[in-house]
Amino acid sequence: MTLVRMKIRVTGIVQGVGFRPFVYRIATENRLKGYVKNKGDAGVEILLEGEKENIRCFLKDLKEKKPPLAQIYEVIQAPLKRGKKYKNFSIQRSSAETELSGSVIPPDIAICNECLKELRDPEDPRHEYFFITCTNCGPRCTIIEGLPYDRENTTMRDFPMCSFCKSEYTNPLNRRFHAQTVACQKCGPKAYLTTKKGELIKNKDPIREAGKLLSEGFIVAIKGYGGFHVATATTKDKPLTRLRKVKHREHKPFAIMVRSLKTIKTFAEVSMKEAQVLTSYMRPIVLLDKSENYFLSDLIAPGLHNIGVMLPYTGLHYMLFDQVDEPAFVMTSANPPNQPIINDNDEALRRLGETVDYFLFHDRQIAHRCDDSVVRLHDHRQVFLRRSRGYAPAPIVLSEKSKRCTVGLGGELNNTGCVLLGNKAFISQHIGDVENVETRDFLEKATRHLIHLTNSRVEAVACDLHPKFTTTKLAHDLAAENDWQLIQVQHHYAHIEALMVEHNVKEIIGVCCDGYGYGLDGEAWGGEILLCTRDFPSFERLAHLQKQPLIGGDLATRYPLRVATGILHKKVDVQEWLLQNHKHFPHGRKEVEIFLHQLDKRNKIVETTSCGRVLDAVAAVLGVCYERTYEGEPALRLESAAIKGKDVLRLKPLINGGILDTSRLLLEVFENREKYSRADLAYSAHVYLARGLAMLTIEKALENNVETVGFSGGVACNKILASVMRSVVETSGLRFLVHKTVPAGDGGLSFGQAVVAGFSQF
Ligand SMILES: [Zn+2]
Ligand SMILES: [Zn+2]
C-alpha cells in the first residue's frame, strides 16, 4: 500500500458547472482525503491524500466522468511530501489567488429538462418558480461580477438562501449541491409587472398576466438574464405596425420566441439538424425557411423567405405561453440602434417608457449584458451570424499555440472583442455597432473583463486599418496606456486569417466578400481574393471584383438604385428607367435630374470592389429593394427572391486580368428584366457571381500551387453563393473551407485580428 499526496490544478471551464461537487463525489468514491476549491483565476485546485491506485482512478474519472458543461484544458499534477493532514474530503472555501491563465466562466445555459419538469410539478417546492435553475443550467456569465465563482461574487448575492435552498445547496447528493444560482419562490428574485411609467400593477401571477397582455396586442418589455426583450404578438399586424413605428425599424426582421418545437413546425421548415440546434442548451435564434403554411404576420420578417426563431430558455419564457393561444411572441433586443443592451431597471424605464405599454421586471441585477445568438444552417453546416448568449465567453480552441497573448478590437459594425491566449481565443458577447461613446465603453469593458477572467498578460492589441474607426482610436489609447504593441490589420486579411487558423491550414486562397473594408490603398474593398500564408504576416491581393462607382458615397449604400445606375450608365440609356422610378428617390424627380447631371461629370467619384454593393444593385434593378433600412437589407431580400429561381441567363463569367466583370452581369439583368421572372434573374445573378469568384479563385490556386480555397466575409452567410461556389471549387478537386465556429461577418473580425497579431513575428 503506497500512500501519496498530490496537488492538482485544473484549468478550463470548471467553475459554475458543478465541478467541485463532482470532484467531491469521485474523491469520496475513490476513498481519498483532502479538498477541492475554486481559485481567483477561474481554475480549480485539488489536494488528494490516499493510495496511489485510488489517485490513478480519480484522475481517470476526472477526465471521463466530468459534468456535461465542464471543459478541461489542463490538469497539472504536483506530487507533495508524504503526510496525513486531512480526515476527510471537503469543498473548501474559495481562494482569490490567481496563479494560472486560460480558464474562463461558462456562458448562460438554457433551463435543463429536470428543472423544467420541476417547474411544472405541483408537488415540487419550486413549482412555477420562474428562475428555477440547478448546477447544470441557468445564467452564468451575465451574473458573475468577479472570481472565484461564489454566490457573493455574483448578482445572486442579494438573495440569501432560505433554509430549504440551503439544505439542497449543502447536500452532496443533491443536484443543487453548491449551485450558486439556487433560489426559490421564497428567497429568489421576484418578477413584477409595471405600467410604462413604472407604477406597480398588483397581480399574483405577473408573468402569465404579461403573456396575456402580449397576446392581446400590447407591447411589453421583458427583463431576462442578460438584457431586455421588447415583445409582442405575432399573429396580428396591428401591434407589429406599432412596434415598427416606435422602434423606428421599418423592415428589419424581428426574432420570435415560439412556444415549442412542434409549433415551429406549423409555420417553418425544420430539418433534423436545425431541431438539434434549436433545442440545444445554447438555444440560439435559428433562421428557418418559412413553410407554405406560414401563418404568422408578414410584418415579422418582411420580404424575407426565412424567419429568426428561438425556443424559450428560462422558466419565465415558458410561463409566458401558459394561458394564451398565441404560438409565438416577437422577442427583439430592446436596444435602440447603435446602443448597447439596456441592463438596468431605471435605465429601461427611461429609455423604453415611450416604446412599450408594460414592463415585466425582476429584481436581480444584470452584471454583464448578453444578446441572443443567431445562426443559420447551410445544409448541415452551422453558420454563425452572431455568436453571443450560450456560446460566449467559451473559447474557440485552436490546433496551435499563439506566439503571444493579444487582443483584437474588431471593426465598426456587429462588433466583438477577442482575447487570444495560447491555443484559445475568447470572443466576447455581441457588442454591436461601435460608433459612439456608449458602445465603445461596452466593448472596452467586455474586453477588459475577458482579460481579467482569463488572467491574461496581453502584449499586443490589434485593430482595423481604418484610421477613423472608433475601435482604431480605442486600440491606440489602450496601447499607449498599457504599453502594448499596436498592430493594424487589413479588414479582409483578418477575415481570411481567421478562417485559416480555425481550420489549421498553412496557405489558402481566400475569397472575402462583404459590404465594405478599408483597403491597403485606402479605397473601399469588399470583393477580394487574397493569398494568405501562415509564415508571413502579410498577404497578397491576387484578384477582386470590378471597381464600381458609388455615386453620392453613403447615399449610394442607402439607395441601391444609385449603385445600379453608376454601373449601367453609358452602357444603356438609364434616363427613362430612372424617371419611371423617381418615387424611389427621397426627393423624387428633382433628385433624379441632379443625379443624372452628376453622372456625366463623374470625375471624383468613390469606387468600390464591394460584392455587397453589386448584390444591392441587382436588387434595385429587379425592384426587390430600393432602400436599405438595415444593414444588408437589399442583398438579403435578393437572396430571398432567388430562393426558388433557376439560372435562366446562364452567363459565362467575364474575367479579365484578375478582375471579375460585374458590369456585364448588371447589364444582362437590366436588359432581361421584362423577359424573365424576378426569381430566375435573382438566382442567375447569384450564380454568375459565385461561379465567377470560384473560377477566379481556382485560376489563382493553380497559379500559386495552393490546394485550399476559403470563403469568408458577411456575404459568405448567403446560402446560394456559398453552395454554388462550393460545388464549382470541389468539382475542380480543390478543398473549400468556410467558418465553423467563428462568425463569417464582422463578428469574427476581432478574432482574425488577434490571430494575425498573435501568430505573426513582428
Ligand atoms: Zn437545471
Ligand atoms: Zn429558497
Side-chain angles (χ1 to χ4, degrees):
M1 201 166 81
T2 332
L3 282 174
V4 180
R5 286 187 96 208
M6 183 182 275
K7 194 191 247 185
I8 298 167
R9 287 169 304 170
V10 188
T11 70
I13 299 182
V14 288
Q15 294 190 10
V17 290
F19 201 76
R20 288 175 305 169
F22 154 72
V23 168
Y24 175 90
R25 268 194 307 275
I26 58 169
T28 34
E29 274 164 24
N30 286 297
R31 296 192 299 279
L32 296 167
K33 290 166 184 168
Y35 66 80
V36 56
K37 66 177 172 189
N38 278 349
K39 308 246 312 199
D41 55 19
V44 163
E45 181 179 295
I46 306 164
L47 191 123
L48 297 175
E49 284 179 7
E51 282 180 43
K52 198 175 173 184
E53 176 58 18
N54 289 345
I55 290 185
R56 200 188 59 78
C57 289
F58 172 91
L59 287 167
K60 194 165 169 266
D61 289 348
L62 188 74
K63 285 183 183 154
E64 289 173 4
K65 295 182 182 167
K66 69 176 167 61
L69 300 174
Q71 286 184 28
I72 296 178
Y73 302 146
E74 269 185 304
V75 178
I76 303 161
Q77 305 171 28
L80 300 175
K81 237 195 177 152
R82 243 188 282 172
K84 266 198 204 167
K85 208 174 151 194
Y86 298 95
K87 289 197 178 70
N88 56 13
F89 193 89
S90 66
I91 295 183
Q92 269 195 3
R93 218 187 142 76
S94 306
S95 104
E97 186 192 15
T98 56
E99 198 180 355
L100 299 171
S101 304
S103 293
V104 79
I105 52 161
D108 285 7
I109 308 295
I111 183 171
C112 72
N113 286 336
E114 278 166 296
C115 285
L116 189 55
K117 225 161 102 194
E118 289 169 355
L119 177 84
R120 299 307 193 188
D121 179 3
E123 304 296 309
D124 193 274
R126 288 190 191 81
H127 176 229
E128 303 198 330
Y129 181 55
F130 72 102
F131 268 177
I132 183 172
T133 60
C134 70
T135 326
N136 301 320
C137 73
R140 298 291 186 271
C141 77
T142 54
I143 60 162
I144 296 176
E145 291 177 325
L147 287 171
Y149 175 56
D150 287 330
R151 196 153 170 133
E152 59 265 33
N153 286 332
T154 73
T155 53
M156 281 303 288
R157 100 173 73 76
D158 301 337
F159 306 94
M161 278 178 267
C162 68
S163 55
F164 166 67
C165 287
K166 190 116 199 175
S167 72
E168 295 204 332
Y169 183 86
T170 48
N171 175 6
L173 300 174
N174 194 283
R175 196 170 92 248
R176 295 193 174 85
F177 183 43
H178 276 273
Q180 307 302 348
T181 54
V182 64
C184 72
Q185 214 88 261
K186 215 162 122 194
C187 64
K190 310 261 182 301
Y192 57 98
L193 199 61
T194 79
T195 64
K196 63 182 188 177
K197 294 203 174 99
E199 296 143 347
L200 188 70
I201 298 170
K202 282 215 173 107
N203 193 295
K204 277 203 177 122
D205 202 350
I207 297 171
R208 294 194 178 97
E209 183 63 24
K212 283 186 215 159
L213 290 168
L214 288 175
S215 67
E216 282 164 23
F218 290 102
I219 301 173
V220 184
I222 299 174
K223 187 178 182 183
Y225 284 168
F228 282 80
H229 282 121
V230 171
T232 197
T234 52
T235 51
K236 307 172 182 69
D237 285 349
K238 221 168 142 194
L240 283 155
T241 310
R242 200 157 68 87
L243 184 60
R244 291 213 168 272
K245 205 164 154 221
V246 291
K247 280 209 60 146
H248 307 289
R249 267 170 76 153
E250 226 173 311
H251 303 301
K252 192 174 179 185
F254 291 130
I256 62 172
M257 183 176 275
V258 187
R259 124 196 332 269
S260 68
L261 185 59
K262 200 174 143 203
T263 309
I264 297 176
K265 290 177 180 169
T266 61
F267 61 83
E269 307 285 349
V270 190
S271 70
M272 282 263 279
K273 178 80 191 180
E274 283 163 340
Q276 260 173 32
V277 179
L278 280 164
T279 54
S280 69
Y281 69 74
M282 295 77 131
R283 297 282 158 92
I285 295 166
V286 183
L287 289 190
L288 299 174
D289 289 359
K290 295 171 183 168
S291 70
E292 276 175 16
N293 303 323
Y294 180 83
F295 64 93
L296 306 181
S297 168
D298 284 324
L299 296 174
I300 299 169
L304 300 179
H305 72 288
N306 50 18
I307 182 167
V309 173
M310 65 181 146
L311 285 168
Y313 55 87
T314 69
L316 182 149
H317 294 150
Y318 278 100
M319 288 166 71
L320 284 174
F321 290 100
D322 279 354
Q323 291 179 359
V324 297
D325 295 328
E326 196 72 6
F329 295 128
V330 162
M331 282 278 183
T332 184
S333 173
N335 49 317
N338 316 322
Q339 298 284 332
I341 317 169
I342 297 165
N343 65 345
D344 175 70
N345 289 6
D346 292 335
E347 191 193 352
L349 281 170
R350 209 169 50 241
R351 280 168 51 186
L352 298 174
E354 300 290 309
T355 307
V356 306
D357 303 312
Y358 298 96
F359 284 90
L360 179 61
F361 284 117
H362 61 72
D363 56 358
R364 183 172 67 205
Q365 299 213 14
I366 296 169
H368 297 279
R369 313 154 193 201
C370 196
D371 259 307
D372 297 317
S373 294
V374 188
V375 305
R376 104 180 255 200
L377 277 106
H378 287 181
D379 302 319
H380 59 280
R381 288 183 184 83
Q382 185 169 322
V383 177
F384 275 101
L385 285 92
R386 176 191 295 168
R387 186 182 179 277
S388 200
R389 177 184 51 77
Y391 301 92
I396 309 237
V397 181
L398 312 174
S399 321
E400 215 182 301
K401 276 191 178 173
S402 154
K403 293 195 173 83
R404 54 179 171 172
C405 177
T406 59
V407 164
L409 295 179
E412 187 163 55
L413 302 177
N414 279 314
N415 211 24
T416 58
C418 175
V419 175
L420 177 66
L421 175 71
N423 68 337
K424 281 166 219 85
F426 302 89
I427 307 179
S428 76
Q429 72 272 47
H430 169 74
I431 305 289
D433 300 350
V434 183
E435 291 171 330
N436 53 36
V437 182
E438 288 88 351
T439 36
R440 188 203 62 197
D441 288 352
F442 182 26
L443 173 67
E444 185 178 347
K445 191 179 161 204
T447 311
R448 281 185 195 276
H449 183 58
L450 271 181
I451 295 171
H452 170 70
L453 285 176
T454 55
N455 196 25
S456 294
R457 278 204 192 91
V458 178
E459 292 165 72
V461 56
C463 64
D464 198 78
L465 260 192
H466 198 296
K468 288 190 181 149
F469 277 178
T470 307
T471 46
T472 308
K473 172 83 174 57
L474 176 61
H476 275 94
D477 292 350
L478 290 175
E481 181 193 322
N482 299 289
D483 202 19
W484 295 340
Q485 189 182 358
L486 176 80
I487 294 153
Q488 290 189 263
V489 186
Q490 199 280 326
H491 190 103
H492 306 98
Y493 175 45
H495 276 303
I496 301 297
E497 186 84 16
L499 189 60
M500 260 209 310
V501 171
E502 205 186 347
H503 289 276
N504 195 30
V505 295
K506 298 292 173 209
E507 52 182 5
I508 198 168
I509 304 282
V511 183
C512 189
C513 289
D514 55 13
Y516 168 78
Y518 189 86
L520 287 181
D521 50 10
E523 288 192 15
W525 292 11
E528 312 304 312
I529 296 180
L530 312 178
L531 168 63
C532 301
T533 63
R534 285 278 295 284
D535 308 319
F536 202 62
S538 69
F539 65 96
E540 205 180 325
R541 185 191 198 198
L542 299 177
H544 53 81
L545 295 186
Q546 182 184 1
K547 281 188 193 176
Q548 298 291 6
L550 275 180
I551 300 158
D554 285 345
L555 269 182
T557 307
R558 172 122 187 226
Y559 299 101
L561 267 178
R562 288 175 167 262
V563 188
T565 313
I567 299 175
L568 294 169
H569 178 61
K570 284 191 181 152
K571 296 173 193 84
V572 279
D573 186 3
V574 287
Q575 188 163 354
E576 196 188 331
W577 174 65
L578 277 184
L579 287 168
Q580 274 168 11
N581 280 303
H582 73 268
K583 63 176 189 294
H584 301 301
F585 285 78
H587 305 286
R589 195 172 283 273
K590 186 145 195 216
E591 188 178 341
V592 173
E593 279 157 14
I594 298 172
F595 180 53
L596 284 166
H597 182 67
Q598 271 179 328
L599 279 175
D600 291 324
K601 290 200 312 182
R602 57 186 248 204
N603 37 19
K604 261 202 200 153
I605 285 168
V606 183
E607 291 184 312
T608 180
T609 54
S610 166
C611 185
R613 292 299 86 80
V614 176
L615 293 166
D616 290 359
V618 176
V621 170
L622 294 178
V624 170
C625 182
Y626 294 111
E627 185 187 348
R628 175 172 110 149
T629 66
Y630 61 90
E631 208 213 334
E633 179 177 4
L636 290 177
R637 282 179 177 242
L638 186 70
E639 185 190 351
S640 290
I643 222 81
K644 293 207 167 97
K646 294 185 297 288
D647 182 14
V648 286
L649 292 181
R650 301 171 147 271
L651 294 174
K652 187 172 177 292
L654 207 61
I655 295 171
N656 237 321
I659 293 169
L660 175 63
D661 192 306
T662 48
S663 296
R664 163 94 199 278
L665 168 66
L666 252 287
L667 205 59
E668 292 280 350
V669 172
F670 184 81
E671 295 196 318
N672 286 291
R673 70 190 191 283
E674 320 258 89
K675 194 170 158 198
Y676 298 112
S677 75
R678 187 186 271 187
D680 288 346
L681 288 172
Y683 187 77
S684 303
H686 278 82
V687 173
Y688 179 89
L689 283 170
R691 281 186 60 205
L693 285 163
M695 284 163 64
L696 199 48
T697 312
I698 294 166
E699 180 189 308
K700 295 299 164 191
L702 295 176
E703 269 174 37
N704 291 278
N705 212 9
V706 175
E707 286 166 359
T708 308
V709 165
F711 187 25
S712 183
V715 174
C717 299
N718 181 306
K719 193 172 169 179
I720 305 172
L721 287 174
S723 80
V724 174
M725 212 189 282
R726 171 180 295 277
S727 95
V728 179
V729 169
E730 288 183 343
T731 308
S732 78
L734 296 170
R735 191 172 164 216
F736 185 78
L737 298 179
V738 291
H739 293 284
K740 291 183 298 190
T741 49
V742 178
D746 287 358
L749 206 58
S750 62
F751 170 74
Q753 294 169 347
V755 151
V756 170
F759 281 89
S760 310
Q761 296 284 15
F762 281 90

